[in-house]
Amino acid sequence: MRLDKFICKSTEYSLAEAVALIENRRAVVNGIIVIWRSHQVHNNNVVTLDGKILTSRNSRYLMLNKPIDMICSNVDEKYPSVLNLLNVDRVTELHIAGRLDVDTTGIVLITDDGHWSFNVTSPKNKCEKVYSVVLSRPIPPDATKRFLEGILLQGESKLTLPAKLHIIDSYNVLLTITEGRYHQVKRMFAAIGNRVKSLHRQKIGHLALDVEVGHWRSLTQAEVEALSVIG
Ligand code: URA
């Protein structure tokens, strides 16, 4: 972790304050004054600030059920951010691991651990995301095969990774994907001449949504670890 972030995670200082402290030569790593904010701090390093040893707070991992008309952004825009739903300290340190569109509902993971969220969202790790989709036209019989083989999305040159389609009935399907390209699910159905009427993310990896709309809970250690070892 960067030294400036480490100071924020182990004190009540803001990022700007942490940077000023570092530049004023008040942070010491393994006995050496460090003046670079981006200096990497490793687990076995001893960091002191004004001579006091710093201990980083534990990372936070949350699951939230995103309502419609809220956005997965760190700031409010035309719609309010889902982070408004969290009654926790230091919300600004948190970020969303895999955003949903304003009109999409369902499971969203929120954390302050950048490595973990990278693991969850990187297509290389093949973490499955399951979406329940309501379509405006009947699903054609060849859609399952086409999604498995990969779809060329408009304006892109690389096929989508194999996606699993489970047909419930003509207008209701479950789609499992391992990537998170921009508006991916909507664009995949558009590419086969259909349109998504409503979209809900049910699951990320083995983690199924189990809180009410607009509510959240902390993940257990086992849930956090299960999402760290995908791939
Ligand atoms: N794909 C979409 O098109 N939208 C989402 O919100 C998530 C996946």
Side-chain angles (χ1 to χ4, degrees):
M1 189 189 308
R2 294 164 57 112
L3 179 58
D4 52 3
K5 285 266 173 74
F6 183 88
I7 292 178
C8 292
K9 273 196 90 174
S10 50
T11 67
E12 296 300 321
Y13 289 118
S14 67
L15 192 60
E17 288 167 337
V19 171
L21 289 165
I22 295 165
E23 287 174 354
N24 286 317
R25 312 173 68 87
R26 287 164 65 181
V28 172
V29 181
N30 288 349
I32 296 168
I33 295 174
V34 174
I35 54 165
W36 306 113
R37 59 185 295 190
S38 57
H39 179 89
Q40 285 297 311
V41 175
H42 302 283
N43 280 343
N44 56 353
N45 289 171
V46 177
V47 183
T48 61
L49 188 67
D50 295 334
K52 282 201 196 99
I53 293 184
L54 300 184
T55 314
S56 172
R57 285 184 289 275
N58 288 338
S59 292
R60 292 179 285 176
Y61 306 90
L62 318 175
M63 161 204 293
L64 176 135
N65 189 344
K66 178 193 172 297
I68 206 152
D69 289 347
M70 293 197 91
I71 54 169
C72 287
S73 158
N74 275 53
V75 288
D76 297 342
E77 292 168 21
K78 183 175 165 205
Y79 294 95
S81 161
V82 291
L83 297 182
N84 290 304
L85 298 168
L86 305 175
N87 45 335
V88 299
D89 291 338
R90 300 178 305 278
V91 174
T92 52
E93 288 179 11
L94 297 168
H95 65 270
I96 293 151
R99 296 170 175 219
L100 292 177
D101 296 336
V102 64
D103 55 352
T104 303
T105 56
I107 182 168
V108 164
L109 299 181
I110 300 171
T111 184
D112 50 9
D113 180 345
H115 291 290
W116 186 80
S117 56
F118 178 80
N119 211 30
V120 171
T121 52
S122 168
K124 283 204 185 101
N125 287 326
K126 299 198 173 68
C127 174
E128 294 189 335
K129 287 92 186 173
V130 182
Y131 291 88
S132 146
V133 190
V134 181
L135 297 165
S136 65
R137 298 191 192 95
I139 186 83
D142 68 342
T144 310
K145 185 166 174 283
R146 291 184 66 186
F147 280 180
L148 206 55
E149 286 170 352
I151 293 281
L152 196 58
L153 301 178
Q154 194 173 27
E156 296 202 14
S157 55
K158 254 179 93 182
L159 290 180
T160 53
L161 290 175
K164 292 181 232 161
L165 186 69
H166 172 76
I167 298 175
I168 299 166
D169 61 40
S170 313
Y171 293 93
N172 293 279
V173 298
L174 292 179
L175 181 67
T176 304
I177 58 174
T178 56
E179 304 169 278
R181 299 194 205 181
Y182 183 64
H183 296 323
Q184 177 159 345
V185 176
K186 291 173 188 162
R187 290 166 71 211
M188 284 176 74
F189 283 99
I192 62 162
N194 213 317
R195 195 177 70 80
V196 170
K197 262 175 64 177
S198 78
L199 189 55
H200 175 81
R201 187 159 65 193
Q202 294 187 337
K203 236 174 146 185
I204 299 180
H206 294 295
L207 201 57
L209 184 62
D210 60 8
V211 289
E212 296 293 316
V213 180
H215 289 246
W216 63 274
R217 71 168 174 88
S218 294
L219 300 188
T220 65
Q221 188 63 26
E223 288 169 335
V224 171
E225 280 167 17
L227 282 169
S228 310
V229 293
I230 287 161

